[in-house]
Amino acid sequence: MAAPVNIVVGSHVWVEDPVLAWLGGEVTRINGQEIRVKTSNGKTVVTSISKVFPEDTEAPPGGVDDMTKLSYLHEPGVLQNLATRYELNEIYTYTGNILIAINPFQRLPHLYDTHMMEQYKGAALGELSPHVFAVADVAYRAMINEGKSNSILVSGESGAGKTETTKMLMRYLAHLGGRSGVEGRTVEQQVLESNPVLEAFGNAKTVRNNNSSRFGKFVEIQFDKNGRISGAAIRTYLLERSRVCQISDPERNYHCFYLLCAAPPEDIEKYKLGSPKTFHYLNQSNCYELDGVNDAHEYLATRRAMDIVGINEQEQEAIFRVVAAILHLGNINFSKGKEIDSSVIKDEKSRFHLNMTAELLRCDAQSLEDALIKRVMVTPEEIITRTLDPENAIASRDALAKTLYSRLFDWLVETINISIGQDPNSKSIIGVLDIYGFESFKCNSFEQFCINFTNEKLQQHFNQHVFKMEQEEYTKEEINWSYIEFVDNQDVLDLIEKKPGGIIALLDEACMFPKSTHETFAQKLYQTFKNHNRFIKPKLSRTNFTISHYAGEVTYQADHFLDKNKDYVVAEHQALLTASKCSFVVGLFPPLPEESSKSSKFSSIGARFKLQLQSLMETLSATEPHYIRCVKPNNALKPAIFENFNIIQQLRCGGVLEAIRISCAGYPTRRTFYEFLNRFGVLAPEVLDGNYDDKVACQMILDKKGLKGYQIGKAKVFLRVGQMAELDARRAEVLGNAARTIQRQIRTYIARKEFISLRKASIQMQSHWRGKKARKLYQQLRQEAAALKIQKNFRRYSARKAYLTVLSSAITLQTGLRAMTARNEFRLRKKTKAAIIIQANWRCHQAYSYYKSLQNAAIVSQCGWRCRVARRELRMLKMAARETGALKEAKDKLEKRVEELTWRLQLEKRLRTDLEEAKAQEIAKLQEALHAMLVQVEEANSMVIKEREAARKAIEEAPPVIKETPVIIQDTQRVESLTAEVERFKALFQSETQIVEEAKQAYAVEQAKNAELTRKLGDAEKKVDQVQDSVQRLEEKLSNLESENQVLRQQALAISPSGKALSARPKTTIIQRSPENGNVQNGEIRNASDSIVAVPNSREAPETEEKPQKSLNEKQQENQDLLIKCISQDLGFSGGKPSAACLIYKCLFQWRSFEVDRTNVFDRIIQTIGSAIEVQDNNDVLTYWLSNASTLLLLLQRTLKATGAASLTPQRRRTTSTSLFGRMSQGLRASPQSVGFSFLNSRMLGGGLDELRQVEAKYPALLFKQQLTAFLEKIYGMIRDNLKKEISPLLGMCIQAPRSSRASLVKGRSQANAVAQQALIGHWQSIVKCIDNYLKIMRANFVPPFLVRKVFTQTFSFINVQLFNSLLLRRECCSFSNGEYVKAGLAELEQWCHDATEEFVGLAWDEMKHIRQAVGFLVIHQKPKKTLNEITNDLCPVLSIQQLYRISTMYWDDKYGTHSVSTDVISSMRIIMTEDSNNAVSSSFLLDDDSSIPFTVDDISKTMQHIEVPDIDPPPLIRENSGFTFLLQRSE
């Protein structure tokens, strides 16, 4: 494992690290033998080049399963591979044929189920992923095929998982060769069932493991000639007897003592036990309990395990009496007696424990006391009885305790072996050795010495088998092989066990001399082994000694070696217990031979253990060994922690790294000649064609490829590391070239074939296409000619028809006008009668006509005012044009205008209305022009002479009218004057355009002279351009004035026969808005809650007009208060639509609240809704507001559109109407104080709100829509959750029904059973009643059916989840009768769905598919005949394999006693589940309840394509209020 020499700058290497053992890095500099490495954690390390190892940067991310496949076989590479696999929970890894198992410290059940066993059954080692089952399978196959016994050696330190690995091995061997044993239990079951008993009496908590085996166990599993298990035997080695009397903190004594102290109260009272803290043998350590272990439960489990292994109740009682007696025995203390070197019972407490011990052992208390403090010495002359001092009496007490416990443990093992049964005719065995691992603590005593001696023996066996067998293989093949040195530990074994002169021999010798002490023993060791290279004497100790084991140096304390090695069979103890009245105790101490019955006989534990170990090694040598090295990843005994130093040390102790080095230093790849030629013959085809011997052919192939270092034996080819991969790479290259040649030829053939076919098809297609194109062109030419002819005739017909229509209309109109003039003249002659008639009709119609005349008067007034302003502006422009000032005056004027425009621009930017100013000015000018026109109309009353001529012009310009209409001459004259005025305006605007152009030219000349004003003049030029655009748009608007004047004239005629009514009405107040009152000065007419018509200059408005503005704000606030107060009440429904939602929408739309930048009406509405739904349990209120919120939100969805790119052109934002009159009518609708005109507006717009005209919403409106959406979702969730809460207890009763039904149903009482069944089905009926009640409430409140469907869909999903999960989690629910019960309940729900109709239920019934299919599966008959395909595809296609598996395994038929599905189906399910877990598919079989909101506003909108705002009857609170008159008029 020396470092390679080909390390260069940039190479990735491993360097030693004091924390992580090894750390990866990159070489940055090489200076001779010194190397500098930048590690992965950012540090720079300087070290010797001989101490670094290359890192494999191309290693698989998941590691390799056999570490002999590693590119670089060294400590860091092995460590990294193990760490990588451990992170992925891959705890098993091969090293050749050695299995390394790292303890995961967590349960991994998917690794050890039956399906996993089947996978490894018959598979070769390495074919599948590393596993303990693979090693067991290899051992079993070798035993079957070769007829030779095998053994599996499981080794590792305490806590590495040896015991668990042994259990898995036995489970797998029983799976392969199990057969039914006595009483229906297999041998494997009996062996495994004995584990709890052996663990209770042979395991204890140590520093490194909470359940450490303190004895060695070799399980012999015996097989018959057919490979079936025929028997088993458990051999135990060296129980740690000293632990009974001596323990150190934080360890514990054997588990059984603590289990007995946690026994039921009757047992504790019977044995007079208490807390473990009160017993000397247990309170030497402060650890009394284990984390996650309940001693009381474990006690009962141990008693059950004893029942299983055949220990009857009397024997169990006797066993625990002995255990209790040992505890009491430890509390017997002694004090000095009256005589020298004598002792007596110390106090009454000790006397009590003495009596309890005698009572439990069924012997005499005085005899027990004598056996503890007296010794009988037999001499030829006499028998001498002497007393022991307190120290020796305590030693006698402890010796009795250890002897009792040791005999008890041996009896348990023997009883278990008898219970299991052994096969004397067995020819083959598989032995599983589970023995303690190498131990090195801070304080190491005789127990560690024996344990490490055992591991030295096993390590030698490992070396001999793995390492030496490797060399024997090469020798057998007669190849050149250089023997590689490896550490042999025979010298350590000689140091320990050699006779005479070994440590054990010297210890036995010291024990036989009464005057020997631990100091004399240590000195003897120092003298004997002072020159031994494996024995070290510590400098600062007189009794310690150090042995250099294969795994490192261990220092032992010889203080208690002599005491622990002595195994006296005290004659007094023997006689005492033999005379016991308890047959069980007597059986533990059979009578001794006569010659030894009078004295104590010395026995050495060390010598006895050496004999046992020798027997074990002979057994192992007679078998074919297999090795499993268990590794403990950390000392904290926690998962997911990988301590590198700890792992490295254990790998060294196990010889794993040495095995890797030996294997890869030789020839790890071996192939027979046939296999080699069969695989690599393609590398040299000429060799296969020639008639060569197999060996020669292999030689030629290897020589051709230039490989060096390989060997060819008698029957195999031996390749060095990497040569196999090189040959495979060259083989893949040859096969790849051949494949490419074949592919090239095939592709050529296919391409040519496709080309020929494509060329033929294209020619044919071109031919057809050209013909089709020619036909199509010809047809098109014909159609064009025909179209021209049709158009010509149609246009001629249309023109003539229009001419005739106009002609007829003109004649008809002239006739009507002449008749009307004659009648008027006749009417004037009858003044008195006409006056009376007019007065009567006028008074009758006064109330109705006042409203219309007021509105028309405002229109005429505004037109007149706009004319007046236009003339005033025209005069100013003419005066400016006539001025003959110098060019400087023009410049100053332009600069002043630029400054004014700049100031205006800044003001507009601050108020975010800079782009709307031009439009507001335009509208104001038009209003002024209109006002001026009205003034001219009034002046035209005196122009009677020109009425006839004006009337003729009006007739010519008016559209054709079929119906006779009386025309007033005065009105026609006004219209004509307005037309003339418009023409004058056109000329004025043209002159204004010319003036602007001249000013622009003058400005350009001045710009060259004054560079400082360049930026300002540039801005002025842009502004002038905007003015030009405004003028052009105004001209376009004036071009439509003729048609609009016709509408004006018709409205004026409809109001009054004379124009006096217009002048008699008061003029509308025109108020300038300012930033102080919420609107922009000179800006667009706002749609705020208090907006009114604006004019461009606030200085023209008198100060007295501020009072009306204030009163308008207060009026609008009152209107909002009334609206909020009104919607706080239950307004009910109108035409199936919620009145509150329609009222809110109409008011907001009428007030144009959606188009304002700032308002609080939305917040007040939201607060009102929020306060109304605070009572969460009132479903009537919740459904009422759910209906209102959904309707209002849908109206907003159809009406509002977000302000987008169109906001950059405020001149085009008003409406889709381009006419002047259309915009004027909109301006009138802008103010809530102009509600008097709403009737006129509705007449002019022909539909109004009912058409849901879209408006561009501002931020408050969009925010209101979002808040309303949130409230809709909240109310929906509250209703849904309320429904779930109501049915949850009812569902709970349905789920508990199986348990209650068994209590209520009585056999033989059909009437009572019928009543009970009716009571059970009543739960389902209650659920149906609850759901139906909710449906009625929602229908009564006109909740949209879409939302109703969603509520019930989620509710049914909730029912499905609750019932289905209870089915999987409760075994009583997974029965046949419960399936019938749930099926009856589901029928009730299905009937309700049918009655409720699909409009309100939708697909809610489909949400019950899981429970429906599961119940259907429960109630079907002949389940064992169903195949997995039928179940998954036909019966339960929705259920997952995990769910089906759980139902199948939990099912039980409490009615007919039928069985579940067949075992084959269950096995198939397991296979699929394992594959799913390997594919990272979720294995959760429970369903989740979906509590999300399952819809969006768009979903609701799509379900309600057509929506109308019905006319509602205004509530009494607002019916008489003038601010809500528009509601009354619309309802009319």
Side-chain angles (χ1 to χ4, degrees), residues 1079-1273:
N1079 277 15
V1080 181
Q1081 190 173 1
N1082 293 329
E1084 178 188 356
I1085 298 176
R1086 297 292 176 182
N1087 190 23
S1089 59
D1090 55 351
S1091 59
I1092 63 172
V1093 181
V1095 295
N1097 197 336
S1098 62
R1099 289 174 295 181
E1100 296 180 5
E1103 295 180 359
T1104 57
E1105 293 177 353
E1106 293 182 358
K1107 294 180 180 180
Q1109 175 61 37
K1110 184 176 181 181
S1111 62
L1112 292 177
N1113 289 336
E1114 295 175 352
K1115 182 66 177 176
Q1116 184 59 25
Q1117 188 65 31
E1118 292 176 2
N1119 292 342
Q1120 292 183 11
D1121 294 339
L1122 284 175
L1123 175 63
I1124 297 303
K1125 186 176 180 181
C1126 188
I1127 65 175
S1128 300
Q1129 305 172 359
D1130 189 346
L1131 300 181
F1133 300 85
S1134 176
K1137 301 297 180 183
S1139 299
C1142 297
L1143 178 63
I1144 294 171
Y1145 176 76
K1146 287 188 176 185
C1147 291
L1148 295 179
F1149 192 91
Q1150 184 67 26
W1151 297 339
R1152 302 191 70 182
S1153 299
F1154 300 129
E1155 300 178 65
V1156 299
D1157 289 323
R1158 181 184 301 172
T1159 181
N1160 63 346
V1161 65
F1162 296 129
D1163 294 336
R1164 299 184 66 185
I1165 294 173
I1166 289 296
Q1167 291 174 2
T1168 304
I1169 299 176
S1171 61
I1173 64 173
E1174 287 179 354
V1175 184
Q1176 299 183 1
D1177 297 331
N1178 193 335
N1179 293 316
D1180 286 326
V1181 174
L1182 292 178
T1183 52
Y1184 169 77
W1185 280 110
L1186 179 64
S1187 178
N1188 278 280
S1190 59
T1191 302
L1192 181 57
L1193 184 61
L1194 189 57
L1195 291 171
L1196 297 181
Q1197 179 80 358
R1198 300 288 177 83
T1199 302
L1200 303 185
K1201 60 178 180 179
T1203 303
S1207 63
L1208 300 178
T1209 58
Q1211 293 84 355
R1212 297 182 177 89
R1213 281 179 52 199
R1214 193 61 80 162
T1215 63
T1216 56
S1217 175
T1218 58
S1219 65
L1220 173 64
F1221 188 73
R1223 284 192 291 274
M1224 285 164 53
S1225 62
Q1226 272 198 333
L1228 289 173
R1229 286 207 314 274
S1231 173
Q1233 276 66 44
S1234 63
V1235 294
F1237 304 119
S1238 60
F1239 180 75
L1240 178 62
N1241 294 339
S1242 62
R1243 292 284 297 271
M1244 289 185 292
L1245 294 177
L1249 295 176
D1250 292 342
E1251 296 178 355
L1252 292 182
R1253 180 179 58 82
Q1254 283 197 337
V1255 297
E1256 293 181 348
K1258 294 292 186 178
Y1259 174 76
L1262 298 177
L1263 180 60
F1264 173 63
K1265 180 182 174 184
Q1266 295 177 359
Q1267 292 174 329
L1268 195 62
T1269 303
F1271 266 95
L1272 174 65
E1273 295 176 353

Side-chain angles (χ1 to χ4, degrees), residues 443-621:
C443 180
N444 301 286
S445 188
F446 182 68
E447 293 81 11
Q448 282 69 42
F449 176 78
C450 294
I451 289 172
N452 293 340
F453 171 44
T454 303
N455 282 275
E456 286 284 359
K457 272 287 189 180
L458 294 175
Q459 181 65 23
Q460 185 187 48
H461 184 266
F462 179 77
N463 291 346
Q464 291 174 350
H465 178 76
V466 177
F467 303 147
K468 296 182 180 178
M469 293 301 112
E470 187 83 6
Q471 297 181 16
E472 289 177 1
E473 173 70 17
Y474 302 145
T475 304
K476 179 181 176 182
E477 287 288 327
E478 297 181 358
I479 63 174
N480 295 329
W481 165 252
S482 299
Y483 286 89
I484 295 178
E485 296 294 333
F486 66 92
V487 178
D488 193 357
N489 59 347
Q490 184 61 45
D491 51 350
V492 180
L493 296 175
D494 292 341
L495 172 67
I496 297 174
E497 66 175 348
K498 187 177 181 180
K499 278 190 175 183
I503 293 178
I504 294 179
L506 294 177
L507 180 61
D508 290 346
E509 182 181 344
C511 291
M512 297 173 68
F513 288 96
K515 294 184 180 181
S516 295
T517 64
H518 55 275
E519 293 182 356
T520 59
F521 169 66
Q523 294 301 322
K524 182 68 173 177
L525 293 179
Y526 298 156
Q527 295 175 6
T528 305
F529 305 115
K530 60 182 179 180
N531 296 324
H532 201 289
N533 59 350
R534 294 279 190 159
F535 186 90
I536 303 171
K537 176 184 179 300
K539 296 180 180 180
L540 302 178
S541 176
R542 299 186 61 186
T543 57
N544 296 352
F545 64 93
T546 301
I547 297 178
S548 179
H549 291 284
Y550 73 97
E553 296 180 353
V554 180
T555 300
Y556 299 97
Q557 287 73 37
D559 297 353
H560 301 287
F561 264 56
L562 274 66
D563 296 336
K564 293 181 178 180
N565 187 48
K566 294 176 182 179
D567 189 22
Y568 286 104
V569 181
V570 181
E572 287 77 9
H573 298 170
Q574 178 76 26
L576 171 72
L577 299 176
T578 303
S580 172
K581 297 178 182 179
C582 177
S583 59
F584 179 81
V585 176
V586 173
L588 295 180
F589 291 87
L592 294 176
E594 183 67 25
E595 62 273 8
S596 61
S597 61
K598 299 297 182 180
S599 63
S600 299
K601 181 179 180 182
F602 171 75
S603 175
S604 166
I605 289 180
R608 186 156 56 91
F609 177 70
K610 188 172 73 169
L611 293 175
Q612 287 183 336
L613 189 57
Q614 183 177 354
S615 172
L616 174 63
M617 299 311 299
E618 290 175 355
T619 302
L620 294 178
S621 299

Side-chain angles (χ1 to χ4, degrees), residues 686-694:
E686 67 280 1
V687 174
L688 297 181
D689 295 339
N691 190 15
Y692 298 105
D693 182 68
D694 288 350

Side-chain angles (χ1 to χ4, degrees), residues 37 41 168 224 257 284 286 291 315 372 486 584 662 711 733 754 836 885 1019 1040 1209 1373 1452:
V37 180
N41 59 5
M168 297 303 167
D224 58 19
F257 295 116
Q284 300 173 42
N286 292 324
D291 294 338
E315 290 174 334
L372 293 177
F486 66 92
F584 179 81
I662 294 297
Q711 293 287 341
E733 182 181 355
E754 290 180 351
I836 295 172
D1019 296 338
N1040 298 327
T1209 58
C1373 292
W1452 60 293

Side-chain angles (χ1 to χ4, degrees), residues 1317 1375-1378 1380 1451-1458:
Q1317 290 286 0
S1375 63
F1376 187 93
S1377 61
N1378 188 59
E1380 292 182 327
Y1451 170 80
W1452 60 293
D1453 190 347
D1454 57 343
K1455 193 170 184 179
Y1456 302 109
T1458 59

